[in-house]
Amino acid sequence: MANVTPGYTFTGTTDPITYTKLNLLGQPTVAIGNDEVTSSMIASSITLESPSVTSGLTVTSGGITVTAGGATVTAGGLTVTAGGLTVSANGASVAGGLTVSTGGATISAGGITLGASTPINMAATTESFGGTIALTFGAEKGNTRLIPCSSNTAATINVATVPSAGYLLILRFSTDATASNAITFGTNFKDTGTYNLNSANHWYTATFVSDGQYLIEVCRSGSAS
């Protein structure tokens, strides 16, 4: 049962509320027990002062945005199933692990610190082959692109926006029974020339690293069978 301090302790649901009992001139503070709060009583867009999450936090849509002060989860980890997680200042500290299954995670300040023996799992996605292949970048795409070439069609690889400096791009091509694919790279690349994929049913790999302005070729392989 809710209490009003200072002034009066309510004894039940039939106890009438009066001006005297509320003692409004005393600026009463209402204390509500945990079992007296339901989800229907909680308004949207509420502001909580120093909330504590002890058994994990699950966000099913909309994601979580932390603009200042960071986010600390001490137990249970943090699971974000849709909308991603954005931390714009002071970083996020998660003692129980962080799982982001949809939407990715964007850290604009504070960076990410990995402890010893922490692996980084890189993702690969398949790009549709054609005369022009336009690459885009995002958390869902991964830094390895699998490009299955068809017939002896030539192709040009383009990027509209170069990813940030240090980004590593791996292009893995596979040829079919015809092969003879000539691969060229657009103006945002600095490359060593046309990549000729002449062997049928083989695999080729070209690696680039970004300097923030261009994707610069590091190496390219011969045919692998």
Side-chain angles (χ1 to χ4, degrees):
M1 180 56 58
N3 297 327
V4 177
T5 305
Y8 186 83
T9 298
F10 289 93
T11 60
T13 57
T14 60
D15 194 356
I17 298 174
T18 67
Y19 172 84
T20 302
K21 292 174 183 177
L22 289 178
N23 193 13
L24 294 179
L25 294 179
Q27 297 181 345
T29 300
V30 179
I32 302 176
N34 292 337
D35 56 349
E36 296 179 278
V37 179
T38 65
S39 58
S40 61
M41 298 177 182
I42 302 175
S44 60
S45 302
I46 62 172
T47 300
L48 302 177
E49 296 183 3
S50 302
S52 175
V53 179
T54 58
S55 60
L57 174 65
T58 299
V59 178
T60 57
S61 63
I64 298 176
T65 301
V66 180
T67 56
T72 300
V73 180
T74 58
L78 174 66
T79 300
V80 181
T81 57
L85 172 67
T86 300
V87 181
S88 58
N90 292 314
S93 174
V94 181
L98 171 66
T99 300
V100 181
S101 56
T102 304
T106 300
I107 310 294
S108 57
I112 299 175
T113 300
L114 300 177
S117 303
T118 303
I120 300 177
N121 297 318
M122 297 182 181
T125 53
T126 300
E127 299 288 343
S128 298
F129 184 73
T132 299
I133 302 173
L135 301 183
T136 59
F137 301 93
E140 75 283 358
K141 297 289 287 186
N143 71 316
T144 298
R145 308 303 172 90
L146 311 178
I147 304 176
C149 303
S150 60
S151 188
N152 59 352
T153 303
T156 298
I157 311 292
N158 290 321
V159 296
T161 303
V162 175
S164 59
Y167 184 92
L168 191 66
L169 174 64
I170 301 171
L171 302 178
R172 198 226 63 185
F173 303 92
S174 58
T175 59
D176 61 11
T178 304
S180 298
N181 304 102
I183 308 298
T184 55
F185 303 96
T187 55
N188 285 335
F189 288 87
K190 294 297 182 182
D191 58 273
T192 59
T194 301
Y195 197 7
N196 294 304
L197 317 182
N198 294 322
S199 296
N201 299 316
H202 278 62
W203 289 263
Y204 297 80
T205 302
T207 303
F208 298 81
V209 65
S210 171
D211 67 354
Q213 184 177 6
Y214 298 104
L215 283 161
I216 302 167
E217 185 172 345
V218 176
C219 63
R220 62 176 66 180
S221 74
S223 61
S225 59

